[in-house]
PDB file of all heavy atoms in Angstrom:
ATOM      1  N   PRO A 222      15.219  11.022  -1.074  1.00  0.00           N
ATOM      2  CA  PRO A 222      14.532  11.659  -2.133  1.00  0.00           C
ATOM      3  C   PRO A 222      13.180  10.930  -2.573  1.00  0.00           C
ATOM      4  O   PRO A 222      12.396  11.533  -3.260  1.00  0.00           O
ATOM      5  CB  PRO A 222      15.511  11.649  -3.312  1.00  0.00           C
ATOM      6  CG  PRO A 222      16.841  11.562  -2.650  1.00  0.00           C
ATOM      7  CD  PRO A 222      16.602  10.674  -1.435  1.00  0.00           C
ATOM      8  N   VAL A 223      13.039   9.698  -2.208  1.00  0.00           N
ATOM      9  CA  VAL A 223      11.858   8.946  -2.653  1.00  0.00           C
ATOM     10  C   VAL A 223      10.952   8.617  -1.539  1.00  0.00           C
ATOM     11  O   VAL A 223       9.822   8.077  -1.753  1.00  0.00           O
ATOM     12  CB  VAL A 223      12.297   7.635  -3.388  1.00  0.00           C
ATOM     13  CG1 VAL A 223      13.234   7.947  -4.495  1.00  0.00           C
ATOM     14  CG2 VAL A 223      12.777   6.575  -2.485  1.00  0.00           C
ATOM     15  N   LYS A 224      11.274   8.920  -0.318  1.00  0.00           N
ATOM     16  CA  LYS A 224      10.449   8.596   0.837  1.00  0.00           C
ATOM     17  C   LYS A 224       9.094   9.285   0.674  1.00  0.00           C
ATOM     18  O   LYS A 224       8.930  10.482   0.364  1.00  0.00           O
ATOM     19  CB  LYS A 224      11.121   9.127   2.166  1.00  0.00           C
ATOM     20  CG  LYS A 224      12.127   8.124   2.660  1.00  0.00           C
ATOM     21  CD  LYS A 224      12.718   8.622   4.015  1.00  0.00           C
ATOM     22  CE  LYS A 224      13.814   7.691   4.483  1.00  0.00           C
ATOM     23  NZ  LYS A 224      14.464   8.248   5.709  1.00  0.00           N
ATOM     24  N   GLY A 225       7.987   8.540   0.993  1.00  0.00           N
ATOM     25  CA  GLY A 225       6.677   9.042   0.831  1.00  0.00           C
ATOM     26  C   GLY A 225       6.098   9.017  -0.561  1.00  0.00           C
ATOM     27  O   GLY A 225       4.929   9.237  -0.742  1.00  0.00           O
ATOM     28  N   ARG A 226       6.959   8.712  -1.603  1.00  0.00           N
ATOM     29  CA  ARG A 226       6.506   8.557  -2.941  1.00  0.00           C
ATOM     30  C   ARG A 226       6.607   7.236  -3.491  1.00  0.00           C
ATOM     31  O   ARG A 226       5.800   6.801  -4.337  1.00  0.00           O
ATOM     32  CB  ARG A 226       7.276   9.607  -3.839  1.00  0.00           C
ATOM     33  CG  ARG A 226       7.163  11.043  -3.450  1.00  0.00           C
ATOM     34  CD  ARG A 226       7.774  11.982  -4.427  1.00  0.00           C
ATOM     35  NE  ARG A 226       9.256  11.717  -4.611  1.00  0.00           N
ATOM     36  CZ  ARG A 226       9.807  11.392  -5.811  1.00  0.00           C
ATOM     37  NH1 ARG A 226       9.099  11.261  -6.862  1.00  0.00           N
ATOM     38  NH2 ARG A 226      11.182  11.199  -5.820  1.00  0.00           N
ATOM     39  N   PHE A 227       7.673   6.460  -3.113  1.00  0.00           N
ATOM     40  CA  PHE A 227       7.926   5.145  -3.632  1.00  0.00           C
ATOM     41  C   PHE A 227       7.616   4.118  -2.523  1.00  0.00           C
ATOM     42  O   PHE A 227       7.814   4.383  -1.374  1.00  0.00           O
ATOM     43  CB  PHE A 227       9.346   4.962  -4.067  1.00  0.00           C
ATOM     44  CG  PHE A 227       9.768   5.793  -5.275  1.00  0.00           C
ATOM     45  CD1 PHE A 227       8.967   6.723  -5.871  1.00  0.00           C
ATOM     46  CD2 PHE A 227      11.042   5.530  -5.822  1.00  0.00           C
ATOM     47  CE1 PHE A 227       9.380   7.456  -6.987  1.00  0.00           C
ATOM     48  CE2 PHE A 227      11.422   6.170  -6.946  1.00  0.00           C
ATOM     49  CZ  PHE A 227      10.606   7.188  -7.519  1.00  0.00           C
ATOM     50  N   THR A 228       7.149   2.903  -2.967  1.00  0.00           N
ATOM     51  CA  THR A 228       6.874   1.865  -2.035  1.00  0.00           C
ATOM     52  C   THR A 228       7.455   0.544  -2.639  1.00  0.00           C
ATOM     53  O   THR A 228       7.126   0.185  -3.786  1.00  0.00           O
ATOM     54  CB  THR A 228       5.391   1.646  -1.819  1.00  0.00           C
ATOM     55  OG1 THR A 228       4.852   2.841  -1.329  1.00  0.00           O
ATOM     56  CG2 THR A 228       5.176   0.507  -0.823  1.00  0.00           C
ATOM     57  N   ILE A 229       8.330  -0.127  -1.931  1.00  0.00           N
ATOM     58  CA  ILE A 229       8.889  -1.391  -2.333  1.00  0.00           C
ATOM     59  C   ILE A 229       8.123  -2.461  -1.608  1.00  0.00           C
ATOM     60  O   ILE A 229       7.702  -2.298  -0.458  1.00  0.00           O
ATOM     61  CB  ILE A 229      10.361  -1.458  -2.033  1.00  0.00           C
ATOM     62  CG1 ILE A 229      10.986  -2.790  -2.610  1.00  0.00           C
ATOM     63  CG2 ILE A 229      10.668  -1.401  -0.508  1.00  0.00           C
ATOM     64  CD1 ILE A 229      12.507  -2.822  -2.502  1.00  0.00           C
ATOM     65  N   SER A 230       7.840  -3.563  -2.362  1.00  0.00           N
ATOM     66  CA  SER A 230       7.105  -4.715  -1.766  1.00  0.00           C
ATOM     67  C   SER A 230       7.611  -5.983  -2.470  1.00  0.00           C
ATOM     68  O   SER A 230       8.327  -5.921  -3.488  1.00  0.00           O
ATOM     69  CB  SER A 230       5.591  -4.527  -1.955  1.00  0.00           C
ATOM     70  OG  SER A 230       5.219  -4.464  -3.283  1.00  0.00           O
ATOM     71  N   ARG A 231       7.249  -7.096  -1.886  1.00  0.00           N
ATOM     72  CA  ARG A 231       7.710  -8.362  -2.519  1.00  0.00           C
ATOM     73  C   ARG A 231       6.547  -9.409  -2.281  1.00  0.00           C
ATOM     74  O   ARG A 231       5.813  -9.335  -1.286  1.00  0.00           O
ATOM     75  CB  ARG A 231       8.979  -8.810  -1.921  1.00  0.00           C
ATOM     76  CG  ARG A 231       9.040  -9.174  -0.454  1.00  0.00           C
ATOM     77  CD  ARG A 231      10.382  -9.374   0.071  1.00  0.00           C
ATOM     78  NE  ARG A 231      11.050 -10.492  -0.574  1.00  0.00           N
ATOM     79  CZ  ARG A 231      12.395 -10.688  -0.504  1.00  0.00           C
ATOM     80  NH1 ARG A 231      13.178  -9.811   0.077  1.00  0.00           N
ATOM     81  NH2 ARG A 231      12.965 -11.724  -1.096  1.00  0.00           N
ATOM     82  N   ASP A 232       6.512 -10.328  -3.232  1.00  0.00           N
ATOM     83  CA  ASP A 232       5.670 -11.507  -3.135  1.00  0.00           C
ATOM     84  C   ASP A 232       6.509 -12.666  -3.344  1.00  0.00           C
ATOM     85  O   ASP A 232       6.775 -13.054  -4.493  1.00  0.00           O
ATOM     86  CB  ASP A 232       4.543 -11.382  -4.149  1.00  0.00           C
ATOM     87  CG  ASP A 232       3.471 -12.437  -4.018  1.00  0.00           C
ATOM     88  OD1 ASP A 232       3.782 -13.512  -3.444  1.00  0.00           O
ATOM     89  OD2 ASP A 232       2.415 -12.296  -4.485  1.00  0.00           O
ATOM     90  N   ASN A 233       6.949 -13.292  -2.241  1.00  0.00           N
ATOM     91  CA  ASN A 233       7.846 -14.431  -2.365  1.00  0.00           C
ATOM     92  C   ASN A 233       7.205 -15.625  -3.069  1.00  0.00           C
ATOM     93  O   ASN A 233       7.910 -16.430  -3.704  1.00  0.00           O
ATOM     94  CB  ASN A 233       8.444 -14.822  -0.987  1.00  0.00           C
ATOM     95  CG  ASN A 233       9.372 -13.831  -0.503  1.00  0.00           C
ATOM     96  OD1 ASN A 233       9.980 -13.051  -1.206  1.00  0.00           O
ATOM     97  ND2 ASN A 233       9.610 -13.827   0.835  1.00  0.00           N
ATOM     98  N   ALA A 234       5.910 -15.742  -2.868  1.00  0.00           N
ATOM     99  CA  ALA A 234       5.241 -16.903  -3.589  1.00  0.00           C
ATOM    100  C   ALA A 234       5.255 -16.713  -5.077  1.00  0.00           C
ATOM    101  O   ALA A 234       5.342 -17.709  -5.811  1.00  0.00           O
ATOM    102  CB  ALA A 234       3.795 -16.975  -3.096  1.00  0.00           C
ATOM    103  N   LYS A 235       5.306 -15.458  -5.526  1.00  0.00           N
ATOM    104  CA  LYS A 235       5.362 -15.165  -6.991  1.00  0.00           C
ATOM    105  C   LYS A 235       6.829 -14.870  -7.409  1.00  0.00           C
ATOM    106  O   LYS A 235       7.004 -14.540  -8.616  1.00  0.00           O
ATOM    107  CB  LYS A 235       4.470 -14.052  -7.379  1.00  0.00           C
ATOM    108  CG  LYS A 235       2.979 -14.302  -7.142  1.00  0.00           C
ATOM    109  CD  LYS A 235       2.132 -13.118  -7.588  1.00  0.00           C
ATOM    110  CE  LYS A 235       0.656 -13.436  -7.506  1.00  0.00           C
ATOM    111  NZ  LYS A 235      -0.154 -12.306  -7.905  1.00  0.00           N
ATOM    112  N   ASN A 236       7.711 -14.982  -6.516  1.00  0.00           N
ATOM    113  CA  ASN A 236       9.178 -14.666  -6.815  1.00  0.00           C
ATOM    114  C   ASN A 236       9.294 -13.286  -7.520  1.00  0.00           C
ATOM    115  O   ASN A 236      10.010 -13.162  -8.504  1.00  0.00           O
ATOM    116  CB  ASN A 236       9.792 -15.775  -7.710  1.00  0.00           C
ATOM    117  CG  ASN A 236      10.630 -16.726  -6.894  1.00  0.00           C
ATOM    118  OD1 ASN A 236      10.614 -16.715  -5.700  1.00  0.00           O
ATOM    119  ND2 ASN A 236      11.419 -17.489  -7.628  1.00  0.00           N
ATOM    120  N   THR A 237       8.616 -12.347  -6.967  1.00  0.00           N
ATOM    121  CA  THR A 237       8.564 -11.016  -7.626  1.00  0.00           C
ATOM    122  C   THR A 237       8.686  -9.896  -6.565  1.00  0.00           C
ATOM    123  O   THR A 237       8.152  -9.989  -5.498  1.00  0.00           O
ATOM    124  CB  THR A 237       7.290 -10.801  -8.470  1.00  0.00           C
ATOM    125  OG1 THR A 237       7.171 -11.872  -9.410  1.00  0.00           O
ATOM    126  CG2 THR A 237       7.368  -9.480  -9.203  1.00  0.00           C
ATOM    127  N   VAL A 238       9.486  -8.879  -6.928  1.00  0.00           N
ATOM    128  CA  VAL A 238       9.610  -7.658  -6.193  1.00  0.00           C
ATOM    129  C   VAL A 238       9.029  -6.490  -6.976  1.00  0.00           C
ATOM    130  O   VAL A 238       9.179  -6.499  -8.184  1.00  0.00           O
ATOM    131  CB  VAL A 238      11.077  -7.355  -5.807  1.00  0.00           C
ATOM    132  CG1 VAL A 238      11.250  -6.020  -5.074  1.00  0.00           C
ATOM    133  CG2 VAL A 238      11.591  -8.432  -4.969  1.00  0.00           C
ATOM    134  N   TYR A 239       8.431  -5.548  -6.312  1.00  0.00           N
ATOM    135  CA  TYR A 239       7.797  -4.408  -6.929  1.00  0.00           C
ATOM    136  C   TYR A 239       8.361  -3.092  -6.442  1.00  0.00           C
ATOM    137  O   TYR A 239       8.789  -2.974  -5.245  1.00  0.00           O
ATOM    138  CB  TYR A 239       6.270  -4.466  -6.702  1.00  0.00           C
ATOM    139  CG  TYR A 239       5.664  -5.770  -7.128  1.00  0.00           C
ATOM    140  CD1 TYR A 239       5.332  -6.740  -6.144  1.00  0.00           C
ATOM    141  CD2 TYR A 239       5.276  -5.937  -8.451  1.00  0.00           C
ATOM    142  CE1 TYR A 239       4.781  -7.891  -6.507  1.00  0.00           C
ATOM    143  CE2 TYR A 239       4.687  -7.162  -8.811  1.00  0.00           C
ATOM    144  CZ  TYR A 239       4.418  -8.135  -7.874  1.00  0.00           C
ATOM    145  OH  TYR A 239       3.854  -9.314  -8.237  1.00  0.00           O
ATOM    146  N   LEU A 240       8.310  -2.071  -7.232  1.00  0.00           N
ATOM    147  CA  LEU A 240       8.534  -0.725  -6.828  1.00  0.00           C
ATOM    148  C   LEU A 240       7.472   0.138  -7.389  1.00  0.00           C
ATOM    149  O   LEU A 240       7.366   0.403  -8.605  1.00  0.00           O
ATOM    150  CB  LEU A 240       9.915  -0.224  -7.292  1.00  0.00           C
ATOM    151  CG  LEU A 240      10.312   1.162  -6.813  1.00  0.00           C
ATOM    152  CD1 LEU A 240      10.574   1.057  -5.281  1.00  0.00           C
ATOM    153  CD2 LEU A 240      11.599   1.592  -7.545  1.00  0.00           C
ATOM    154  N   GLN A 241       6.525   0.618  -6.506  1.00  0.00           N
ATOM    155  CA  GLN A 241       5.493   1.464  -6.916  1.00  0.00           C
ATOM    156  C   GLN A 241       6.019   2.936  -6.763  1.00  0.00           C
ATOM    157  O   GLN A 241       6.462   3.319  -5.652  1.00  0.00           O
ATOM    158  CB  GLN A 241       4.282   1.299  -5.964  1.00  0.00           C
ATOM    159  CG  GLN A 241       3.143   2.242  -6.273  1.00  0.00           C
ATOM    160  CD  GLN A 241       2.483   1.988  -7.604  1.00  0.00           C
ATOM    161  OE1 GLN A 241       2.241   0.859  -8.008  1.00  0.00           O
ATOM    162  NE2 GLN A 241       2.204   3.084  -8.343  1.00  0.00           N
ATOM    163  N   MET A 242       5.931   3.607  -7.836  1.00  0.00           N
ATOM    164  CA  MET A 242       6.472   4.986  -7.875  1.00  0.00           C
ATOM    165  C   MET A 242       5.391   6.009  -8.214  1.00  0.00           C
ATOM    166  O   MET A 242       4.818   5.939  -9.282  1.00  0.00           O
ATOM    167  CB  MET A 242       7.544   5.099  -8.962  1.00  0.00           C
ATOM    168  CG  MET A 242       8.647   4.077  -8.794  1.00  0.00           C
ATOM    169  SD  MET A 242      10.063   4.317  -9.950  1.00  0.00           S
ATOM    170  CE  MET A 242       9.227   3.990 -11.452  1.00  0.00           C
ATOM    171  N   ASN A 243       5.111   6.814  -7.206  1.00  0.00           N
ATOM    172  CA  ASN A 243       4.034   7.835  -7.385  1.00  0.00           C
ATOM    173  C   ASN A 243       4.644   9.231  -7.394  1.00  0.00           C
ATOM    174  O   ASN A 243       5.792   9.386  -6.985  1.00  0.00           O
ATOM    175  CB  ASN A 243       2.983   7.700  -6.252  1.00  0.00           C
ATOM    176  CG  ASN A 243       2.325   6.374  -6.285  1.00  0.00           C
ATOM    177  OD1 ASN A 243       2.100   5.746  -7.312  1.00  0.00           O
ATOM    178  ND2 ASN A 243       1.920   5.926  -5.065  1.00  0.00           N
ATOM    179  N   SER A 244       3.883  10.196  -7.836  1.00  0.00           N
ATOM    180  CA  SER A 244       4.315  11.573  -7.797  1.00  0.00           C
ATOM    181  C   SER A 244       5.732  11.750  -8.460  1.00  0.00           C
ATOM    182  O   SER A 244       6.569  12.417  -7.861  1.00  0.00           O
ATOM    183  CB  SER A 244       4.316  12.164  -6.372  1.00  0.00           C
ATOM    184  OG  SER A 244       2.984  12.067  -5.777  1.00  0.00           O
ATOM    185  N   LEU A 245       5.884  11.154  -9.578  1.00  0.00           N
ATOM    186  CA  LEU A 245       7.167  11.119 -10.179  1.00  0.00           C
ATOM    187  C   LEU A 245       7.615  12.511 -10.627  1.00  0.00           C
ATOM    188  O   LEU A 245       6.795  13.352 -10.988  1.00  0.00           O
ATOM    189  CB  LEU A 245       7.178  10.200 -11.410  1.00  0.00           C
ATOM    190  CG  LEU A 245       7.237   8.725 -11.045  1.00  0.00           C
ATOM    191  CD1 LEU A 245       6.785   7.835 -12.188  1.00  0.00           C
ATOM    192  CD2 LEU A 245       8.684   8.338 -10.658  1.00  0.00           C
ATOM    193  N   LYS A 246       8.945  12.735 -10.527  1.00  0.00           N
ATOM    194  CA  LYS A 246       9.513  14.017 -10.852  1.00  0.00           C
ATOM    195  C   LYS A 246      10.595  13.766 -11.995  1.00  0.00           C
ATOM    196  O   LYS A 246      11.153  12.659 -12.131  1.00  0.00           O
ATOM    197  CB  LYS A 246      10.262  14.559  -9.597  1.00  0.00           C
ATOM    198  CG  LYS A 246       9.398  14.762  -8.370  1.00  0.00           C
ATOM    199  CD  LYS A 246      10.205  15.171  -7.243  1.00  0.00           C
ATOM    200  CE  LYS A 246       9.327  15.337  -5.967  1.00  0.00           C
ATOM    201  NZ  LYS A 246      10.155  15.817  -4.776  1.00  0.00           N
ATOM    202  N   PRO A 247      10.930  14.832 -12.748  1.00  0.00           N
ATOM    203  CA  PRO A 247      11.907  14.676 -13.787  1.00  0.00           C
ATOM    204  C   PRO A 247      13.228  14.153 -13.239  1.00  0.00           C
ATOM    205  O   PRO A 247      13.940  13.389 -13.924  1.00  0.00           O
ATOM    206  CB  PRO A 247      12.061  16.094 -14.291  1.00  0.00           C
ATOM    207  CG  PRO A 247      10.696  16.668 -14.097  1.00  0.00           C
ATOM    208  CD  PRO A 247      10.230  16.125 -12.776  1.00  0.00           C
ATOM    209  N   GLU A 248      13.594  14.451 -11.980  1.00  0.00           N
ATOM    210  CA  GLU A 248      14.835  13.990 -11.415  1.00  0.00           C
ATOM    211  C   GLU A 248      14.822  12.490 -11.038  1.00  0.00           C
ATOM    212  O   GLU A 248      15.811  11.931 -10.697  1.00  0.00           O
ATOM    213  CB  GLU A 248      15.221  14.857 -10.174  1.00  0.00           C
ATOM    214  CG  GLU A 248      14.173  15.015  -9.139  1.00  0.00           C
ATOM    215  CD  GLU A 248      13.378  16.283  -9.292  1.00  0.00           C
ATOM    216  OE1 GLU A 248      13.035  16.657 -10.411  1.00  0.00           O
ATOM    217  OE2 GLU A 248      13.084  16.896  -8.190  1.00  0.00           O
ATOM    218  N   ASP A 249      13.647  11.872 -11.211  1.00  0.00           N
ATOM    219  CA  ASP A 249      13.555  10.434 -11.057  1.00  0.00           C
ATOM    220  C   ASP A 249      13.964   9.631 -12.280  1.00  0.00           C
ATOM    221  O   ASP A 249      14.071   8.447 -12.322  1.00  0.00           O
ATOM    222  CB  ASP A 249      12.190   9.988 -10.655  1.00  0.00           C
ATOM    223  CG  ASP A 249      11.749  10.540  -9.307  1.00  0.00           C
ATOM    224  OD1 ASP A 249      12.581  10.449  -8.371  1.00  0.00           O
ATOM    225  OD2 ASP A 249      10.579  10.946  -9.167  1.00  0.00           O
ATOM    226  N   THR A 250      14.221  10.441 -13.365  1.00  0.00           N
ATOM    227  CA  THR A 250      14.597   9.785 -14.650  1.00  0.00           C
ATOM    228  C   THR A 250      15.954   9.031 -14.437  1.00  0.00           C
ATOM    229  O   THR A 250      16.960   9.625 -14.055  1.00  0.00           O
ATOM    230  CB  THR A 250      14.762  10.857 -15.767  1.00  0.00           C
ATOM    231  OG1 THR A 250      13.489  11.394 -16.001  1.00  0.00           O
ATOM    232  CG2 THR A 250      15.290  10.206 -17.026  1.00  0.00           C
ATOM    233  N   ALA A 251      15.941   7.693 -14.809  1.00  0.00           N
ATOM    234  CA  ALA A 251      17.100   6.915 -14.632  1.00  0.00           C
ATOM    235  C   ALA A 251      16.857   5.505 -15.114  1.00  0.00           C
ATOM    236  O   ALA A 251      15.675   5.151 -15.377  1.00  0.00           O
ATOM    237  CB  ALA A 251      17.510   6.860 -13.169  1.00  0.00           C
ATOM    238  N   VAL A 252      17.877   4.704 -15.236  1.00  0.00           N
ATOM    239  CA  VAL A 252      17.729   3.277 -15.399  1.00  0.00           C
ATOM    240  C   VAL A 252      17.626   2.683 -13.965  1.00  0.00           C
ATOM    241  O   VAL A 252      18.474   2.931 -13.154  1.00  0.00           O
ATOM    242  CB  VAL A 252      18.898   2.631 -16.142  1.00  0.00           C
ATOM    243  CG1 VAL A 252      18.699   1.144 -16.247  1.00  0.00           C
ATOM    244  CG2 VAL A 252      19.003   3.248 -17.558  1.00  0.00           C
ATOM    245  N   TYR A 253      16.585   1.904 -13.781  1.00  0.00           N
ATOM    246  CA  TYR A 253      16.313   1.305 -12.498  1.00  0.00           C
ATOM    247  C   TYR A 253      16.762  -0.191 -12.500  1.00  0.00           C
ATOM    248  O   TYR A 253      16.262  -0.917 -13.377  1.00  0.00           O
ATOM    249  CB  TYR A 253      14.912   1.437 -12.088  1.00  0.00           C
ATOM    250  CG  TYR A 253      14.520   2.871 -11.609  1.00  0.00           C
ATOM    251  CD1 TYR A 253      14.487   3.901 -12.541  1.00  0.00           C
ATOM    252  CD2 TYR A 253      14.231   3.093 -10.281  1.00  0.00           C
ATOM    253  CE1 TYR A 253      14.174   5.182 -12.142  1.00  0.00           C
ATOM    254  CE2 TYR A 253      13.924   4.368  -9.901  1.00  0.00           C
ATOM    255  CZ  TYR A 253      13.903   5.380 -10.840  1.00  0.00           C
ATOM    256  OH  TYR A 253      13.607   6.692 -10.391  1.00  0.00           O
ATOM    257  N   TYR A 254      17.602  -0.559 -11.617  1.00  0.00           N
ATOM    258  CA  TYR A 254      18.071  -1.894 -11.511  1.00  0.00           C
ATOM    259  C   TYR A 254      17.611  -2.612 -10.280  1.00  0.00           C
ATOM    260  O   TYR A 254      17.609  -2.024  -9.162  1.00  0.00           O
ATOM    261  CB  TYR A 254      19.624  -1.939 -11.476  1.00  0.00           C
ATOM    262  CG  TYR A 254      20.278  -1.400 -12.735  1.00  0.00           C
ATOM    263  CD1 TYR A 254      20.659  -0.087 -12.825  1.00  0.00           C
ATOM    264  CD2 TYR A 254      20.603  -2.265 -13.741  1.00  0.00           C
ATOM    265  CE1 TYR A 254      21.278   0.387 -13.900  1.00  0.00           C
ATOM    266  CE2 TYR A 254      21.226  -1.769 -14.943  1.00  0.00           C
ATOM    267  CZ  TYR A 254      21.547  -0.419 -15.009  1.00  0.00           C
ATOM    268  OH  TYR A 254      22.178   0.024 -16.089  1.00  0.00           O
ATOM    269  N   CYS A 255      17.058  -3.841 -10.441  1.00  0.00           N
ATOM    270  CA  CYS A 255      16.683  -4.647  -9.298  1.00  0.00           C
ATOM    271  C   CYS A 255      17.910  -5.503  -8.944  1.00  0.00           C
ATOM    272  O   CYS A 255      18.629  -5.954  -9.830  1.00  0.00           O
ATOM    273  CB  CYS A 255      15.517  -5.532  -9.766  1.00  0.00           C
ATOM    274  SG  CYS A 255      15.124  -6.821  -8.592  1.00  0.00           S
ATOM    275  N   ALA A 256      18.138  -5.689  -7.633  1.00  0.00           N
ATOM    276  CA  ALA A 256      19.266  -6.454  -7.274  1.00  0.00           C
ATOM    277  C   ALA A 256      18.912  -7.353  -6.048  1.00  0.00           C
ATOM    278  O   ALA A 256      17.985  -7.055  -5.294  1.00  0.00           O
ATOM    279  CB  ALA A 256      20.413  -5.514  -6.851  1.00  0.00           C
ATOM    280  N   ALA A 257      19.665  -8.417  -5.937  1.00  0.00           N
ATOM    281  CA  ALA A 257      19.449  -9.391  -4.879  1.00  0.00           C
ATOM    282  C   ALA A 257      20.858  -9.690  -4.167  1.00  0.00           C
ATOM    283  O   ALA A 257      21.851  -9.743  -4.851  1.00  0.00           O
ATOM    284  CB  ALA A 257      18.925 -10.700  -5.487  1.00  0.00           C
ATOM    285  N   ASP A 258      20.731  -9.875  -2.879  1.00  0.00           N
ATOM    286  CA  ASP A 258      21.969 -10.136  -2.137  1.00  0.00           C
ATOM    287  C   ASP A 258      21.618 -10.962  -0.870  1.00  0.00           C
ATOM    288  O   ASP A 258      20.591 -10.652  -0.221  1.00  0.00           O
ATOM    289  CB  ASP A 258      22.684  -8.862  -1.843  1.00  0.00           C
ATOM    290  CG  ASP A 258      24.121  -9.068  -1.511  1.00  0.00           C
ATOM    291  OD1 ASP A 258      24.407  -9.439  -0.339  1.00  0.00           O
ATOM    292  OD2 ASP A 258      24.957  -8.902  -2.349  1.00  0.00           O
ATOM    293  N   ARG A 259      22.481 -11.873  -0.519  1.00  0.00           N
ATOM    294  CA  ARG A 259      22.257 -12.622   0.656  1.00  0.00           C
ATOM    295  C   ARG A 259      22.967 -12.046   1.905  1.00  0.00           C
ATOM    296  O   ARG A 259      22.758 -12.500   3.015  1.00  0.00           O
ATOM    297  CB  ARG A 259      22.738 -14.061   0.488  1.00  0.00           C
ATOM    298  CG  ARG A 259      21.875 -14.864  -0.529  1.00  0.00           C
ATOM    299  CD  ARG A 259      22.549 -16.192  -0.868  1.00  0.00           C
ATOM    300  NE  ARG A 259      23.774 -16.009  -1.641  1.00  0.00           N
ATOM    301  CZ  ARG A 259      24.598 -16.985  -1.925  1.00  0.00           C
ATOM    302  NH1 ARG A 259      24.331 -18.212  -1.558  1.00  0.00           N
ATOM    303  NH2 ARG A 259      25.688 -16.736  -2.657  1.00  0.00           N
ATOM    304  N   TYR A 260      23.843 -11.062   1.727  1.00  0.00           N
ATOM    305  CA  TYR A 260      24.707 -10.584   2.738  1.00  0.00           C
ATOM    306  C   TYR A 260      24.446  -9.164   3.243  1.00  0.00           C
ATOM    307  O   TYR A 260      24.503  -8.909   4.422  1.00  0.00           O
ATOM    308  CB  TYR A 260      26.170 -10.762   2.378  1.00  0.00           C
ATOM    309  CG  TYR A 260      26.477 -12.148   1.910  1.00  0.00           C
ATOM    310  CD1 TYR A 260      26.634 -12.478   0.624  1.00  0.00           C
ATOM    311  CD2 TYR A 260      26.553 -13.202   2.886  1.00  0.00           C
ATOM    312  CE1 TYR A 260      26.893 -13.832   0.198  1.00  0.00           C
ATOM    313  CE2 TYR A 260      26.779 -14.522   2.426  1.00  0.00           C
ATOM    314  CZ  TYR A 260      26.965 -14.792   1.090  1.00  0.00           C
ATOM    315  OH  TYR A 260      27.199 -16.072   0.721  1.00  0.00           O
ATOM    316  N   PHE A 261      24.082  -8.283   2.327  1.00  0.00           N
ATOM    317  CA  PHE A 261      23.762  -6.935   2.763  1.00  0.00           C
ATOM    318  C   PHE A 261      22.359  -6.991   3.368  1.00  0.00           C
ATOM    319  O   PHE A 261      21.424  -7.660   2.963  1.00  0.00           O
ATOM    320  CB  PHE A 261      23.669  -5.994   1.544  1.00  0.00           C
ATOM    321  CG  PHE A 261      25.074  -5.499   1.088  1.00  0.00           C
ATOM    322  CD1 PHE A 261      25.568  -5.980  -0.056  1.00  0.00           C
ATOM    323  CD2 PHE A 261      25.745  -4.508   1.781  1.00  0.00           C
ATOM    324  CE1 PHE A 261      26.839  -5.553  -0.478  1.00  0.00           C
ATOM    325  CE2 PHE A 261      26.939  -4.094   1.361  1.00  0.00           C
ATOM    326  CZ  PHE A 261      27.496  -4.618   0.171  1.00  0.00           C
ATOM    327  N   SER A 262      22.194  -6.165   4.369  1.00  0.00           N
ATOM    328  CA  SER A 262      20.856  -5.959   4.977  1.00  0.00           C
ATOM    329  C   SER A 262      20.089  -4.859   4.241  1.00  0.00           C
ATOM    330  O   SER A 262      20.644  -4.061   3.502  1.00  0.00           O
ATOM    331  CB  SER A 262      20.934  -5.611   6.435  1.00  0.00           C
ATOM    332  OG  SER A 262      21.506  -4.297   6.616  1.00  0.00           O
ATOM    333  N   ALA A 263      18.822  -4.817   4.396  1.00  0.00           N
ATOM    334  CA  ALA A 263      17.960  -3.796   3.730  1.00  0.00           C
ATOM    335  C   ALA A 263      18.432  -2.383   4.239  1.00  0.00           C
ATOM    336  O   ALA A 263      18.327  -1.380   3.454  1.00  0.00           O
ATOM    337  CB  ALA A 263      16.550  -4.077   3.938  1.00  0.00           C
ATOM    338  N   SER A 264      18.892  -2.287   5.430  1.00  0.00           N
ATOM    339  CA  SER A 264      19.234  -0.961   5.969  1.00  0.00           C
ATOM    340  C   SER A 264      20.637  -0.565   5.562  1.00  0.00           C
ATOM    341  O   SER A 264      21.046   0.597   5.872  1.00  0.00           O
ATOM    342  CB  SER A 264      19.189  -1.036   7.507  1.00  0.00           C
ATOM    343  OG  SER A 264      20.083  -2.056   7.998  1.00  0.00           O
TER     344      SER A 264
END
């Protein structure tokens, strides 16, 4: 649902992760949680 509209990126030097969200839709309304894990892969 977010492909082509959202972009995730990270700056390890700044210890920060970003989520750029464009072309937002009402169905994107939600609480967004950032999470970290050493064992799950991104895929």
Side-chain angles (χ1 to χ4, degrees):
V223 307
K224 281 181 181 176
R226 299 188 297 123
F227 291 11
T228 302
I229 188 171
S230 61
R231 66 190 297 163
D232 186 337
N233 287 339
K235 294 183 178 180
N236 257 14
T237 303
V238 174
Y239 305 98
L240 185 68
Q241 178 67 44
M242 305 186 296
N243 298 329
S244 302
L245 282 161
K246 304 175 181 180
E248 51 263 44
D249 294 319
T250 295
V252 176
Y253 283 71
Y254 296 92
C255 172
D258 200 279
R259 291 171 293 173
Y260 306 106
F261 280 106
S262 67
S264 60

